[in-house]
Amino acid sequence: MTDSARAPAPDDAPVDWHQQEVLLIREVGRLLGRSVEPNFVIRQTLRLLSEWVGLNRGRVLLWDSGEESLRIRHWYGLTADEASRGVFARGEGVSGGVLRTGIARVVQDIDAEPDFLCRSVERARLPKETVSFIAVPLREGDRVCGVLAAHRLRHRRRGISDDLELLQTVGTLLGQVIRVNEELRRRTERLETENRDLRERLGQQLPNFGILGDSPALRDSIAQARRLATGDLTVLLLGESGTGKELFARAIHQASPRAGRPFVKVNCAAVPESLFESEFFGHERGAFTGAVTAQPGRFEQADGGTLFLDEVGELPLAMQAKLLRVLQDRVVVRVGSRHELPLDVRVVAATNRNLAAAVARGAFRLDLYYRLSVLPLQLPALRDRPQDVPVLVRHYAHEACLAWSRAPVQFSEPAMKLMQAHPWPGNVRQLQSVAMRLVLMTHGALIDAASVAAQLQAEPDVSADPAPETDSRIVPSVASLPSAVAAPAGAELVRPYAPVVAGDAERVRDALVRAGGNRSRAAQMLGMTRRQFTYRLEKLGPGGG
């Protein structure tokens, strides 16, 4: 990136700067007409400022109220590393000062200005000539929400006051983009909160806690959930992804004596191992860098109520040991403390893994398995209750019509039959996605079979799940676990294991060819998991696949 304007003539040639400004503002207006997405509009605007009028290394810094810092969020002409260094406290440096005062700042010579910190771009990477810096406030209504800033060479034929005026004009336009997106974010958050609260209220008022369907398999699962809700023992919800495990966890909570107490959900797969103790057990002030205040963990937040441990099968072994201790002792110790806090928490866990198979492989602790699976509840896959598909389709289609403010739509009878006949490997979550997409892409009031067929055909092959124990429909007998742990190779928990032999080569390669190179399908043909099939390919050597 050079430090002179690229268009349409160099600085040493006569340039009609007023015309340049008019063209630039007109082009920014066109960008706003095409999109109000900030990443696109702001970056393209910074590019125009650099290439048309020589305002280089442009950046937009926005105030982060959560971190209480001013950060570079959008830039042009900076590297990602340079942008990441652009963090300032309120009042710090030139940019922080503009944020605090709301007054534009022009630095004629950055080398002579103590407030210019060279934090993002080292001075050695800038031109040797005298470099100026201009920063103007960005406003969201009456509030200063950020700063628009750029470098320029001081000695140019274009007056620095002209650049200041141009940046202020552009800053007003970008401030509108930021304001619109901030308002959209606030409204979205409000609607999501209202929707979540409404779902919870409806779940308490509607039959079956808002779980849609009337098939025998679903009715049986709901009846079991009601029975399990009466006690305080740990419940383990088993089922494929998308079968509604969180809905059932909430149903158990709402049907229990703890219904008026907190229901706290934790996605175990989303908690980094380094933050596990702090997230689950809480921490004291000063326990680690950044712990400026004491915080209760998820167990404390759920005290008196229910803690839902989603995707518990994804926990690494080190985390499993820590979780087991809390489940056994019913006390937690915050990070940075020695004081034990007693707990009154009912735990409901869920997984789409076959935990017994994971125990057999040594990937899940046997003692934790026993602790979690006191009361197992198997949830039916959607393909096992096709009679529930129409009510689900109509429900999600209605939700989509409300969300997009469009007239109601209906599915033709052939279209609904296609929806019922589909195997739905992603279960209710996949059906919801397809139903809402059909509503969005259909212009009329009727969704026909051709539209449904096209959407279902376009659905990706989601059977290619790398996890070897995803067939959670098989719940092995607990009695088989000790021998499985002692001799995992012989444990027939999901599929029988057979060692790799030379005769496998032709069979494996033939299956791979017949599956068109799709390892998941080839594994299904041979009655293996995808991981078992891949293991055989690797053992057979380069010629295996």
Side-chain angles (χ1 to χ4, degrees), residues 22 97 152 186 227 255 277 283 318:
V22 171
R152 61 156 274 170
R186 282 197 290 261
R227 289 194 294 272
E277 287 185 277
H283 62 259

Side-chain angles (χ1 to χ4, degrees), residues 1 25 128 158 193 196 212 313 316 338 342 364 395 404 431 493:
M1 176 65 64
I25 297 300
K128 295 180 180 179
R158 176 174 167 81
T193 301
R196 183 169 57 251
L212 299 175
R338 295 182 180 178
F364 202 85
H395 171 74
W404 294 314
L431 180 142
L493 294 170

Side-chain angles (χ1 to χ4, degrees), residues 61 78 123 148 161 176 185 242 394 471 507:
L61 302 93
L78 301 177
R123 182 62 181 92
L148 168 64
S161 60
Q176 294 303 309
R185 183 191 64 80
R394 285 191 287 267
D471 189 1
R507 189 164 64 99

Side-chain angles (χ1 to χ4, degrees), residues 110 131 248 415 428 457 470:
I110 63 173
V131 175
F248 272 87
V428 178
Q457 189 174 7
T470 53

Side-chain angles (χ1 to χ4, degrees), residues 429-446:
R429 191 176 295 122
Q430 184 189 10
L431 180 142
Q432 177 185 9
S433 175
V434 171
M436 298 185 80
R437 196 181 315 128
L438 282 165
V439 171
L440 180 62
M441 300 184 69
T442 300
H443 299 294
L446 184 68

Side-chain angles (χ1 to χ4, degrees), residues 224-239:
Q224 289 186 57
R226 289 184 184 276
R227 289 194 294 272
L228 298 181
T230 58
D232 261 350
L233 295 175
T234 302
V235 176
L236 179 62
L237 301 175
L238 301 164

Side-chain angles (χ1 to χ4, degrees), residues 466-492:
E469 62 282 347
T470 53
D471 189 1
S472 56
R473 290 171 294 162
I474 301 175
V475 184
S477 168
V478 175
S480 67
L481 281 169
S483 59
V485 175
E492 299 188 359

Side-chain angles (χ1 to χ4, degrees), residues 26-37 40-41 177:
R26 182 183 299 169
E27 191 63 26
V28 173
R30 288 177 179 172
L31 289 173
L32 291 172
R34 291 169 55 189
S35 171
V36 290
E37 200 283 314
F40 170 76
V41 174
V177 174

